[in-house]
Amino acid sequence: MTAPTTQERVSHRVPLWRDVVVLKWVTQVVLLAVVLSAMWFLATQAGDNLRARNIVSTFDFLERPIDIQLSEGIDTKPDTGARALWTGMVNTLRMSIAGILFATLLGIVVGLARLSDNWLISRLASTWIETLRNIPLLVQIAFYFSVLTTLPRVGLGTGPINGWFHISNKGISMPRVFIADGFYQWLTVVGVGAVAAHYVRRHRQRIQDETGAMTSPILWGMGTVALFGVIGIFVHPVFSWLGVPLGAIADLLDSLPVIAPQILFSVIALGAAARWITRFLSAHRSARGHLSISDDDWFRIAFATLAALAVVVMLVRWTGFSSWTLNSGRDLFEVLENKFDVDGAARPFDAMRPDIIQKGKFPNYGKSGLTMSIGFAAVFFGVVFYTSAFIGENVRGGILAVPKGQSEAAMAVGLGRGQILRHVVLPQAVRIILPPTGNQYLNLLKNTSLAVAVGYSEIVQVGQTTFNQTGMTLPVVVIWMLFYLSCSLSISVVVNWFNVRMKLVER
Amino acid sequence: MTDAATEPTAEPMSEPAAGQTRDLSNARDMIVCEDVSKWYGDFQALDGISTTIKEQEVVVVLGPSGSGKSTWIRCINRLEVHQEGRIVVDDVELTNDLRNIEQIRSEVGMVFQQFNLFPHLKVIDNVSLAPIWVRKKPRVEAEEQAMALLERVGIPEQAHKYPGQLSGGQQQRVAIARALAMEPRIMLFDEVTSALDPEMVKEVLDIMKTLALSGMTMMVVTHEMGFAKEVADRIIFMEEGQIVEQGTPQHFFENPTEDRTKLFLSQIL
């Protein structure tokens, strides 16, 4: 008996059930098949059961008339289900965007305050955080709402500055600035200003780099945009000729056959896949041109190819999407053409003061002012205060997590306190603060659904009313889920993009 | 410091070979410590430190861990605050006056054990940050200077990498360049080779030797006895927050007078 040589061991054929490469591929394919068939089974089963119980689940209600009254939003008396849900979505987004903005600002203040050397300030910040994050948000919203309902009625409401502001138990109404006919021409002027600002900023930066003088390039850039904005109010009609090329584009889109977008989108899908694959391959190629690709990598490449092909097949089979993009593209450019085709006297903005109208028995705010209902206010204060407590803790933790040696090294080269914070501590703290704060943004978005408790017409409240009237529970819930999912994923994409951009470069 | 020329005219400031003792008695005082004490709670970290460091002098501070070497050196640019006594650096006394502190910090360079490079900035930006923001130098000029310094510490090709991409020795050399960018009159080194792999210690010590030869006033806390022997003008031995013994390397290594010094030397040599 002699031990097998290396040569013998290598040439020995591995049986399939022991070959890791084969096993890996089989698992991937089997898993994919199981997932797809499970989904198929559940979908058909649900469809059969619903049919058996005579429950019809369709999305038809979206286009049917609906009798619904919303508390506030772009359309308080929507005529179709789709319009009602859209109003709810806009209200949710309005609340979320405002909430994220103010919770961030307040959170930064609270976090920095908690780190303050000043005993009173840091105690106050701790109390703020500990109180707010330990009371359920729903209770807080109910509290703000009940406090706000103690405000006087509209008729007796306070209008401090000669009718410019009204505060009552129907909410706060203030002057509304809205875009008027000349807005798009004015926007074009501002766009030109943004391009100019880019060059101004670069020029000021170059002067600063060459002479060392503090030239505040960013401030100059913003000033340039502001200057164009002001000038634009007077000169915006110079861009009215833009309506002609926009109209030409609309006509062109109108004359194109459906095959054009089909070809375009197919080329984009295939091109994107090809680009991704070539980049992927070159990223896995060593400096000497050696390609090292694992089995998982092959699976990714196969998946990218399949996804691109699936898009092409869908485009060919389902021409509706292509003709829809053509039509809506044409509509968009027609609208833009009309927006530019206005007489020179049109103003970019208009403003209106709040008004009070008699609606049946009770007075209420009319449409001319910008009104924040107490429902909105209660939810807004709720999510902003609640989230600011968590963001404040993130900010504090992030700043404390920057090693002490960093500020010592910065002190040792003579940087002042503010400079250390700006150039050394904050850039590193942001990397630590951002990921958990992104989670707080997701929480805030989802928490806005608690507005259903105080009757603020966001997507959940509108959806509930809609399915109470139409009986289409499942479709509405599906719309809710898709809406929240796409909002959350958008936030995640933005936060991840920042994370990747700011990642420290290691070897 | 007896064997050098006694005549002040005999070029005491010229560059002598490393390790050769120089007469610095006529040089001006760069760092004066008078009876400096510091406590951490009940623990006394510094106990009546008094000494004077002359211009161009290279002082190596030795001592067992916990003897207060690092605390002392960190008091000199006020990363730590002394509680009793006086510290005068380049004729400016360290007090609570912010202006004095900032002036001294911009004249005293410091290199740390853990490098403490700014990980989010490229090497060249690490070096040029302080000249731009503290000295208000034009960026172009500050970057030229930074490149010259990186050339001097032997790693100009790493200028556009991030600290995380460099080896320990390279990072410590960048840290030296960063301190030199402020054109300091004094350099403090706080155990700068302790965190380095053995094969990287030499490249950092070599740069410190060159710096000593160029006439920089230096205060070095280290465990590198070879460096102390070769480069130091004076060795200060500390224990329990006090200066136990000081003198030329020759005196210190060959004829120490104090028992504690002898014990220390017997443990490390």
Side-chain angles (χ1 to χ4, degrees), chain A residues 209-212 405-406 408-409 411-413 419 423 427-428 507, chain B residues 74 105 108 116-120 133 138-140 162 166 178 182:
Chain A
D209 289 351
E210 279 166 10
T211 64
Q406 289 292 310
E408 283 183 353
M411 279 185 223
V413 285
Q419 290 171 330
H423 297 292
Q428 297 185 61
R507 58 182 63 239
Chain B
R74 285 160 61 84
R105 279 185 182 153
V108 179
N116 295 348
L117 292 179
F118 307 132
H120 59 295
W133 293 100
R139 179 177 291 273
V140 180
Y162 286 90
L166 270 52
R178 178 177 67 180
M182 287 297 286

PDB file of all heavy atoms in Angstrom, chain A residues 209-212 405-406 408-409 411-413 419 423 427-428 507, chain B residues 74 105 108 116-120 133 138-140 162 166 178 182:
ATOM      1  N   ASP A 209      -8.017  79.678  -3.005  1.00  0.00           N
ATOM      2  CA  ASP A 209      -6.905  78.742  -3.045  1.00  0.00           C
ATOM      3  C   ASP A 209      -5.595  79.430  -3.375  1.00  0.00           C
ATOM      4  O   ASP A 209      -4.531  79.034  -2.911  1.00  0.00           O
ATOM      5  CB  ASP A 209      -7.178  77.640  -4.082  1.00  0.00           C
ATOM      6  CG  ASP A 209      -8.278  76.711  -3.605  1.00  0.00           C
ATOM      7  OD1 ASP A 209      -8.676  76.844  -2.436  1.00  0.00           O
ATOM      8  OD2 ASP A 209      -8.744  75.884  -4.401  1.00  0.00           O
ATOM      9  N   GLU A 210      -5.675  80.480  -4.231  1.00  0.00           N
ATOM     10  CA  GLU A 210      -4.427  81.095  -4.681  1.00  0.00           C
ATOM     11  C   GLU A 210      -3.915  82.146  -3.714  1.00  0.00           C
ATOM     12  O   GLU A 210      -2.708  82.339  -3.580  1.00  0.00           O
ATOM     13  CB  GLU A 210      -4.607  81.697  -6.081  1.00  0.00           C
ATOM     14  CG  GLU A 210      -4.487  80.621  -7.161  1.00  0.00           C
ATOM     15  CD  GLU A 210      -4.990  81.085  -8.496  1.00  0.00           C
ATOM     16  OE1 GLU A 210      -5.258  82.297  -8.628  1.00  0.00           O
ATOM     17  OE2 GLU A 210      -5.117  80.242  -9.407  1.00  0.00           O
ATOM     18  N   THR A 211      -4.825  82.856  -3.057  1.00  0.00           N
ATOM     19  CA  THR A 211      -4.353  83.949  -2.210  1.00  0.00           C
ATOM     20  C   THR A 211      -4.524  83.677  -0.726  1.00  0.00           C
ATOM     21  O   THR A 211      -3.908  84.340   0.090  1.00  0.00           O
ATOM     22  CB  THR A 211      -5.124  85.239  -2.520  1.00  0.00           C
ATOM     23  OG1 THR A 211      -6.491  85.020  -2.180  1.00  0.00           O
ATOM     24  CG2 THR A 211      -5.004  85.623  -3.974  1.00  0.00           C
ATOM     25  N   GLY A 212      -5.345  82.713  -0.372  1.00  0.00           N
ATOM     26  CA  GLY A 212      -5.572  82.433   1.037  1.00  0.00           C
ATOM     27  C   GLY A 212      -6.614  83.325   1.665  1.00  0.00           C
ATOM     28  O   GLY A 212      -6.959  83.147   2.826  1.00  0.00           O
ATOM     29  N   GLY A 405      -8.256  61.247  20.555  1.00  0.00           N
ATOM     30  CA  GLY A 405      -6.988  61.571  19.903  1.00  0.00           C
ATOM     31  C   GLY A 405      -7.159  62.485  18.703  1.00  0.00           C
ATOM     32  O   GLY A 405      -6.270  63.263  18.373  1.00  0.00           O
ATOM     33  N   GLN A 406      -8.334  62.405  18.049  1.00  0.00           N
ATOM     34  CA  GLN A 406      -8.574  63.247  16.878  1.00  0.00           C
ATOM     35  C   GLN A 406      -8.602  64.724  17.260  1.00  0.00           C
ATOM     36  O   GLN A 406      -7.949  65.546  16.634  1.00  0.00           O
ATOM     37  CB  GLN A 406      -9.895  62.845  16.217  1.00  0.00           C
ATOM     38  CG  GLN A 406      -9.830  61.508  15.532  1.00  0.00           C
ATOM     39  CD  GLN A 406      -8.943  61.547  14.323  1.00  0.00           C
ATOM     40  OE1 GLN A 406      -9.067  62.421  13.480  1.00  0.00           O
ATOM     41  NE2 GLN A 406      -8.025  60.616  14.233  1.00  0.00           N
ATOM     42  N   GLU A 408      -7.406  65.958  20.000  1.00  0.00           N
ATOM     43  CA  GLU A 408      -6.099  66.325  20.557  1.00  0.00           C
ATOM     44  C   GLU A 408      -5.109  66.658  19.463  1.00  0.00           C
ATOM     45  O   GLU A 408      -4.388  67.650  19.539  1.00  0.00           O
ATOM     46  CB  GLU A 408      -5.551  65.182  21.409  1.00  0.00           C
ATOM     47  CG  GLU A 408      -6.218  65.100  22.768  1.00  0.00           C
ATOM     48  CD  GLU A 408      -5.626  64.005  23.631  1.00  0.00           C
ATOM     49  OE1 GLU A 408      -4.789  63.230  23.139  1.00  0.00           O
ATOM     50  OE2 GLU A 408      -6.023  63.931  24.801  1.00  0.00           O
ATOM     51  N   ALA A 409      -5.096  65.818  18.412  1.00  0.00           N
ATOM     52  CA  ALA A 409      -4.182  66.082  17.305  1.00  0.00           C
ATOM     53  C   ALA A 409      -4.524  67.413  16.653  1.00  0.00           C
ATOM     54  O   ALA A 409      -3.639  68.171  16.266  1.00  0.00           O
ATOM     55  CB  ALA A 409      -4.257  64.947  16.286  1.00  0.00           C
ATOM     56  N   MET A 411      -6.003  69.970  18.125  1.00  0.00           N
ATOM     57  CA  MET A 411      -5.570  71.038  19.033  1.00  0.00           C
ATOM     58  C   MET A 411      -4.067  71.247  18.905  1.00  0.00           C
ATOM     59  O   MET A 411      -3.583  72.375  18.914  1.00  0.00           O
ATOM     60  CB  MET A 411      -5.853  70.638  20.483  1.00  0.00           C
ATOM     61  CG  MET A 411      -7.256  70.838  20.962  1.00  0.00           C
ATOM     62  SD  MET A 411      -7.248  70.420  22.715  1.00  0.00           S
ATOM     63  CE  MET A 411      -8.720  69.486  22.825  1.00  0.00           C
ATOM     64  N   ALA A 412      -3.327  70.141  18.803  1.00  0.00           N
ATOM     65  CA  ALA A 412      -1.872  70.230  18.802  1.00  0.00           C
ATOM     66  C   ALA A 412      -1.348  70.982  17.589  1.00  0.00           C
ATOM     67  O   ALA A 412      -0.264  71.547  17.642  1.00  0.00           O
ATOM     68  CB  ALA A 412      -1.261  68.834  18.857  1.00  0.00           C
ATOM     69  N   VAL A 413      -2.093  70.991  16.468  1.00  0.00           N
ATOM     70  CA  VAL A 413      -1.634  71.783  15.335  1.00  0.00           C
ATOM     71  C   VAL A 413      -2.219  73.189  15.376  1.00  0.00           C
ATOM     72  O   VAL A 413      -2.035  73.957  14.438  1.00  0.00           O
ATOM     73  CB  VAL A 413      -1.943  71.131  13.977  1.00  0.00           C
ATOM     74  CG1 VAL A 413      -1.012  69.982  13.711  1.00  0.00           C
ATOM     75  CG2 VAL A 413      -3.383  70.719  13.866  1.00  0.00           C
ATOM     76  N   GLN A 419     -13.087  75.269  14.508  1.00  0.00           N
ATOM     77  CA  GLN A 419     -12.431  74.621  13.368  1.00  0.00           C
ATOM     78  C   GLN A 419     -12.310  73.123  13.588  1.00  0.00           C
ATOM     79  O   GLN A 419     -12.474  72.332  12.658  1.00  0.00           O
ATOM     80  CB  GLN A 419     -11.036  75.227  13.160  1.00  0.00           C
ATOM     81  CG  GLN A 419     -11.089  76.654  12.655  1.00  0.00           C
ATOM     82  CD  GLN A 419      -9.723  77.304  12.671  1.00  0.00           C
ATOM     83  OE1 GLN A 419      -8.881  76.982  13.495  1.00  0.00           O
ATOM     84  NE2 GLN A 419      -9.500  78.231  11.752  1.00  0.00           N
ATOM     85  N   HIS A 423     -13.882  70.726  10.863  1.00  0.00           N
ATOM     86  CA  HIS A 423     -13.000  70.020   9.932  1.00  0.00           C
ATOM     87  C   HIS A 423     -12.626  68.621  10.383  1.00  0.00           C
ATOM     88  O   HIS A 423     -12.213  67.803   9.569  1.00  0.00           O
ATOM     89  CB  HIS A 423     -11.714  70.820   9.706  1.00  0.00           C
ATOM     90  CG  HIS A 423     -11.940  72.141   9.070  1.00  0.00           C
ATOM     91  ND1 HIS A 423     -12.377  72.278   7.773  1.00  0.00           N
ATOM     92  CD2 HIS A 423     -11.854  73.395   9.554  1.00  0.00           C
ATOM     93  CE1 HIS A 423     -12.512  73.546   7.485  1.00  0.00           C
ATOM     94  NE2 HIS A 423     -12.215  74.259   8.552  1.00  0.00           N
ATOM     95  N   PRO A 427     -17.114  65.833  10.407  1.00  0.00           N
ATOM     96  CA  PRO A 427     -17.056  64.936   9.244  1.00  0.00           C
ATOM     97  C   PRO A 427     -16.969  63.467   9.635  1.00  0.00           C
ATOM     98  O   PRO A 427     -17.479  62.609   8.924  1.00  0.00           O
ATOM     99  CB  PRO A 427     -15.778  65.369   8.519  1.00  0.00           C
ATOM    100  CG  PRO A 427     -15.492  66.734   8.997  1.00  0.00           C
ATOM    101  CD  PRO A 427     -16.045  66.840  10.380  1.00  0.00           C
ATOM    102  N   GLN A 428     -16.333  63.182  10.763  1.00  0.00           N
ATOM    103  CA  GLN A 428     -16.246  61.779  11.187  1.00  0.00           C
ATOM    104  C   GLN A 428     -17.502  61.357  11.927  1.00  0.00           C
ATOM    105  O   GLN A 428     -17.930  60.210  11.831  1.00  0.00           O
ATOM    106  CB  GLN A 428     -15.026  61.580  12.076  1.00  0.00           C
ATOM    107  CG  GLN A 428     -13.737  61.852  11.337  1.00  0.00           C
ATOM    108  CD  GLN A 428     -12.521  61.543  12.180  1.00  0.00           C
ATOM    109  OE1 GLN A 428     -12.319  60.407  12.603  1.00  0.00           O
ATOM    110  NE2 GLN A 428     -11.707  62.542  12.426  1.00  0.00           N
ATOM    111  N   ARG A 507      -7.549  50.279   3.336  1.00  0.00           N
ATOM    112  CA  ARG A 507      -6.796  49.614   2.283  1.00  0.00           C
ATOM    113  C   ARG A 507      -7.647  48.588   1.548  1.00  0.00           C
ATOM    114  O   ARG A 507      -8.655  48.152   1.989  1.00  0.00           O
ATOM    115  CB  ARG A 507      -5.553  48.935   2.833  1.00  0.00           C
ATOM    116  CG  ARG A 507      -5.792  47.913   3.907  1.00  0.00           C
ATOM    117  CD  ARG A 507      -4.495  47.343   4.414  1.00  0.00           C
ATOM    118  NE  ARG A 507      -3.673  48.359   5.048  1.00  0.00           N
ATOM    119  CZ  ARG A 507      -2.439  48.645   4.595  1.00  0.00           C
ATOM    120  NH1 ARG A 507      -1.965  48.048   3.527  1.00  0.00           N
ATOM    121  NH2 ARG A 507      -1.718  49.537   5.210  1.00  0.00           N
TER     122      ARG A 507
ATOM    123  N   ARG B  74       2.501  66.298  27.666  1.00  0.00           N
ATOM    124  CA  ARG B  74       1.201  66.801  27.214  1.00  0.00           C
ATOM    125  C   ARG B  74       0.826  68.106  27.914  1.00  0.00           C
ATOM    126  O   ARG B  74      -0.030  68.838  27.420  1.00  0.00           O
ATOM    127  CB  ARG B  74       0.124  65.739  27.450  1.00  0.00           C
ATOM    128  CG  ARG B  74       0.205  64.586  26.439  1.00  0.00           C
ATOM    129  CD  ARG B  74      -0.511  63.350  26.946  1.00  0.00           C
ATOM    130  NE  ARG B  74      -1.922  63.622  27.174  1.00  0.00           N
ATOM    131  CZ  ARG B  74      -2.849  63.570  26.215  1.00  0.00           C
ATOM    132  NH1 ARG B  74      -2.512  63.228  25.003  1.00  0.00           N
ATOM    133  NH2 ARG B  74      -4.099  63.842  26.485  1.00  0.00           N
ATOM    134  N   ARG B 105       0.384  76.449  20.960  1.00  0.00           N
ATOM    135  CA  ARG B 105       0.075  75.236  20.189  1.00  0.00           C
ATOM    136  C   ARG B 105       0.534  75.362  18.750  1.00  0.00           C
ATOM    137  O   ARG B 105       0.905  74.369  18.129  1.00  0.00           O
ATOM    138  CB  ARG B 105      -1.422  74.950  20.240  1.00  0.00           C
ATOM    139  CG  ARG B 105      -1.794  74.262  21.524  1.00  0.00           C
ATOM    140  CD  ARG B 105      -3.222  73.878  21.520  1.00  0.00           C
ATOM    141  NE  ARG B 105      -3.581  73.262  22.791  1.00  0.00           N
ATOM    142  CZ  ARG B 105      -4.798  73.272  23.295  1.00  0.00           C
ATOM    143  NH1 ARG B 105      -5.773  73.864  22.637  1.00  0.00           N
ATOM    144  NH2 ARG B 105      -5.043  72.689  24.437  1.00  0.00           N
ATOM    145  N   VAL B 108       4.355  74.730  18.844  1.00  0.00           N
ATOM    146  CA  VAL B 108       4.835  73.457  19.360  1.00  0.00           C
ATOM    147  C   VAL B 108       4.171  72.342  18.567  1.00  0.00           C
ATOM    148  O   VAL B 108       2.954  72.225  18.563  1.00  0.00           O
ATOM    149  CB  VAL B 108       4.481  73.312  20.855  1.00  0.00           C
ATOM    150  CG1 VAL B 108       4.962  71.975  21.380  1.00  0.00           C
ATOM    151  CG2 VAL B 108       5.097  74.442  21.652  1.00  0.00           C
ATOM    152  N   ASN B 116      -2.944  59.426  15.264  1.00  0.00           N
ATOM    153  CA  ASN B 116      -4.068  60.371  15.265  1.00  0.00           C
ATOM    154  C   ASN B 116      -4.178  61.168  13.975  1.00  0.00           C
ATOM    155  O   ASN B 116      -4.497  62.348  13.996  1.00  0.00           O
ATOM    156  CB  ASN B 116      -3.968  61.336  16.448  1.00  0.00           C
ATOM    157  CG  ASN B 116      -4.114  60.624  17.770  1.00  0.00           C
ATOM    158  OD1 ASN B 116      -4.512  59.464  17.792  1.00  0.00           O
ATOM    159  ND2 ASN B 116      -3.795  61.292  18.848  1.00  0.00           N
ATOM    160  N   LEU B 117      -3.926  60.512  12.846  1.00  0.00           N
ATOM    161  CA  LEU B 117      -4.169  61.195  11.564  1.00  0.00           C
ATOM    162  C   LEU B 117      -5.673  61.319  11.365  1.00  0.00           C
ATOM    163  O   LEU B 117      -6.445  60.552  11.937  1.00  0.00           O
ATOM    164  CB  LEU B 117      -3.557  60.388  10.421  1.00  0.00           C
ATOM    165  CG  LEU B 117      -2.033  60.347  10.409  1.00  0.00           C
ATOM    166  CD1 LEU B 117      -1.552  59.499   9.244  1.00  0.00           C
ATOM    167  CD2 LEU B 117      -1.451  61.747  10.308  1.00  0.00           C
ATOM    168  N   PHE B 118      -6.088  62.279  10.556  1.00  0.00           N
ATOM    169  CA  PHE B 118      -7.516  62.470  10.303  1.00  0.00           C
ATOM    170  C   PHE B 118      -7.934  61.509   9.187  1.00  0.00           C
ATOM    171  O   PHE B 118      -7.568  61.709   8.031  1.00  0.00           O
ATOM    172  CB  PHE B 118      -7.798  63.919   9.913  1.00  0.00           C
ATOM    173  CG  PHE B 118      -7.245  64.917  10.898  1.00  0.00           C
ATOM    174  CD1 PHE B 118      -6.520  66.007  10.483  1.00  0.00           C
ATOM    175  CD2 PHE B 118      -7.456  64.742  12.261  1.00  0.00           C
ATOM    176  CE1 PHE B 118      -6.008  66.914  11.395  1.00  0.00           C
ATOM    177  CE2 PHE B 118      -6.954  65.644  13.182  1.00  0.00           C
ATOM    178  CZ  PHE B 118      -6.226  66.733  12.750  1.00  0.00           C
ATOM    179  N   PRO B 119      -8.689  60.458   9.512  1.00  0.00           N
ATOM    180  CA  PRO B 119      -8.915  59.376   8.543  1.00  0.00           C
ATOM    181  C   PRO B 119      -9.766  59.794   7.353  1.00  0.00           C
ATOM    182  O   PRO B 119      -9.748  59.129   6.331  1.00  0.00           O
ATOM    183  CB  PRO B 119      -9.630  58.305   9.372  1.00  0.00           C
ATOM    184  CG  PRO B 119     -10.250  59.040  10.502  1.00  0.00           C
ATOM    185  CD  PRO B 119      -9.356  60.202  10.804  1.00  0.00           C
ATOM    186  N   HIS B 120     -10.520  60.895   7.490  1.00  0.00           N
ATOM    187  CA  HIS B 120     -11.407  61.294   6.397  1.00  0.00           C
ATOM    188  C   HIS B 120     -10.702  62.223   5.418  1.00  0.00           C
ATOM    189  O   HIS B 120     -11.309  62.632   4.424  1.00  0.00           O
ATOM    190  CB  HIS B 120     -12.658  61.963   6.954  1.00  0.00           C
ATOM    191  CG  HIS B 120     -12.352  63.191   7.769  1.00  0.00           C
ATOM    192  ND1 HIS B 120     -11.660  63.135   8.940  1.00  0.00           N
ATOM    193  CD2 HIS B 120     -12.636  64.485   7.550  1.00  0.00           C
ATOM    194  CE1 HIS B 120     -11.541  64.356   9.439  1.00  0.00           C
ATOM    195  NE2 HIS B 120     -12.117  65.201   8.605  1.00  0.00           N
ATOM    196  N   TRP B 133      -5.970  76.777   7.653  1.00  0.00           N
ATOM    197  CA  TRP B 133      -7.004  77.348   8.522  1.00  0.00           C
ATOM    198  C   TRP B 133      -6.442  78.136   9.683  1.00  0.00           C
ATOM    199  O   TRP B 133      -7.102  79.026  10.188  1.00  0.00           O
ATOM    200  CB  TRP B 133      -7.939  76.249   9.019  1.00  0.00           C
ATOM    201  CG  TRP B 133      -8.730  75.688   7.890  1.00  0.00           C
ATOM    202  CD1 TRP B 133      -8.480  74.531   7.217  1.00  0.00           C
ATOM    203  CD2 TRP B 133      -9.859  76.274   7.241  1.00  0.00           C
ATOM    204  NE1 TRP B 133      -9.369  74.365   6.197  1.00  0.00           N
ATOM    205  CE2 TRP B 133     -10.228  75.422   6.195  1.00  0.00           C
ATOM    206  CE3 TRP B 133     -10.585  77.453   7.451  1.00  0.00           C
ATOM    207  CZ2 TRP B 133     -11.298  75.695   5.345  1.00  0.00           C
ATOM    208  CZ3 TRP B 133     -11.661  77.725   6.610  1.00  0.00           C
ATOM    209  CH2 TRP B 133     -11.997  76.847   5.582  1.00  0.00           C
ATOM    210  N   PRO B 138      -2.604  80.441   1.466  1.00  0.00           N
ATOM    211  CA  PRO B 138      -3.325  80.021   0.261  1.00  0.00           C
ATOM    212  C   PRO B 138      -3.168  78.521   0.084  1.00  0.00           C
ATOM    213  O   PRO B 138      -2.115  77.964   0.367  1.00  0.00           O
ATOM    214  CB  PRO B 138      -2.610  80.764  -0.864  1.00  0.00           C
ATOM    215  CG  PRO B 138      -1.897  81.864  -0.205  1.00  0.00           C
ATOM    216  CD  PRO B 138      -1.593  81.447   1.191  1.00  0.00           C
ATOM    217  N   ARG B 139      -4.239  77.871  -0.394  1.00  0.00           N
ATOM    218  CA  ARG B 139      -4.214  76.418  -0.516  1.00  0.00           C
ATOM    219  C   ARG B 139      -3.063  75.934  -1.404  1.00  0.00           C
ATOM    220  O   ARG B 139      -2.379  74.961  -1.078  1.00  0.00           O
ATOM    221  CB  ARG B 139      -5.546  75.929  -1.089  1.00  0.00           C
ATOM    222  CG  ARG B 139      -5.618  74.423  -1.267  1.00  0.00           C
ATOM    223  CD  ARG B 139      -6.977  74.009  -1.763  1.00  0.00           C
ATOM    224  NE  ARG B 139      -8.001  74.201  -0.749  1.00  0.00           N
ATOM    225  CZ  ARG B 139      -8.306  73.290   0.171  1.00  0.00           C
ATOM    226  NH1 ARG B 139      -7.677  72.134   0.191  1.00  0.00           N
ATOM    227  NH2 ARG B 139      -9.243  73.532   1.056  1.00  0.00           N
ATOM    228  N   VAL B 140      -2.853  76.659  -2.520  1.00  0.00           N
ATOM    229  CA  VAL B 140      -1.811  76.237  -3.455  1.00  0.00           C
ATOM    230  C   VAL B 140      -0.467  76.187  -2.749  1.00  0.00           C
ATOM    231  O   VAL B 140       0.273  75.196  -2.829  1.00  0.00           O
ATOM    232  CB  VAL B 140      -1.758  77.215  -4.656  1.00  0.00           C
ATOM    233  CG1 VAL B 140      -0.684  76.786  -5.624  1.00  0.00           C
ATOM    234  CG2 VAL B 140      -3.110  77.287  -5.336  1.00  0.00           C
ATOM    235  N   TYR B 162      -5.442  57.867   1.419  1.00  0.00           N
ATOM    236  CA  TYR B 162      -6.001  58.136   2.745  1.00  0.00           C
ATOM    237  C   TYR B 162      -5.155  57.417   3.796  1.00  0.00           C
ATOM    238  O   TYR B 162      -4.542  56.385   3.494  1.00  0.00           O
ATOM    239  CB  TYR B 162      -7.445  57.648   2.810  1.00  0.00           C
ATOM    240  CG  TYR B 162      -8.391  58.552   2.051  1.00  0.00           C
ATOM    241  CD1 TYR B 162      -8.664  58.343   0.711  1.00  0.00           C
ATOM    242  CD2 TYR B 162      -8.976  59.635   2.691  1.00  0.00           C
ATOM    243  CE1 TYR B 162      -9.511  59.194   0.012  1.00  0.00           C
ATOM    244  CE2 TYR B 162      -9.818  60.490   2.008  1.00  0.00           C
ATOM    245  CZ  TYR B 162     -10.088  60.259   0.661  1.00  0.00           C
ATOM    246  OH  TYR B 162     -10.912  61.102  -0.009  1.00  0.00           O
ATOM    247  N   LEU B 166      -2.220  53.408   4.405  1.00  0.00           N
ATOM    248  CA  LEU B 166      -0.778  53.444   4.636  1.00  0.00           C
ATOM    249  C   LEU B 166      -0.378  52.490   5.754  1.00  0.00           C
ATOM    250  O   LEU B 166      -1.187  52.152   6.614  1.00  0.00           O
ATOM    251  CB  LEU B 166      -0.359  54.867   5.032  1.00  0.00           C
ATOM    252  CG  LEU B 166       0.038  55.826   3.910  1.00  0.00           C
ATOM    253  CD1 LEU B 166      -1.014  55.892   2.837  1.00  0.00           C
ATOM    254  CD2 LEU B 166       0.314  57.200   4.466  1.00  0.00           C
ATOM    255  N   ARG B 178       2.834  66.488   9.307  1.00  0.00           N
ATOM    256  CA  ARG B 178       1.717  67.349   9.689  1.00  0.00           C
ATOM    257  C   ARG B 178       2.137  68.328  10.791  1.00  0.00           C
ATOM    258  O   ARG B 178       1.783  69.497  10.768  1.00  0.00           O
ATOM    259  CB  ARG B 178       0.550  66.486  10.179  1.00  0.00           C
ATOM    260  CG  ARG B 178      -0.637  67.304  10.632  1.00  0.00           C
ATOM    261  CD  ARG B 178      -1.791  66.436  11.034  1.00  0.00           C
ATOM    262  NE  ARG B 178      -1.509  65.649  12.239  1.00  0.00           N
ATOM    263  CZ  ARG B 178      -2.367  64.803  12.793  1.00  0.00           C
ATOM    264  NH1 ARG B 178      -3.545  64.627  12.241  1.00  0.00           N
ATOM    265  NH2 ARG B 178      -2.037  64.132  13.872  1.00  0.00           N
ATOM    266  N   MET B 182       3.345  73.325  10.482  1.00  0.00           N
ATOM    267  CA  MET B 182       3.084  74.579  11.194  1.00  0.00           C
ATOM    268  C   MET B 182       4.384  75.312  11.506  1.00  0.00           C
ATOM    269  O   MET B 182       4.392  76.295  12.227  1.00  0.00           O
ATOM    270  CB  MET B 182       2.302  74.309  12.471  1.00  0.00           C
ATOM    271  CG  MET B 182       0.855  73.935  12.233  1.00  0.00           C
ATOM    272  SD  MET B 182      -0.083  75.243  11.453  1.00  0.00           S
ATOM    273  CE  MET B 182      -0.258  76.378  12.818  1.00  0.00           C
TER     274      MET B 182
END
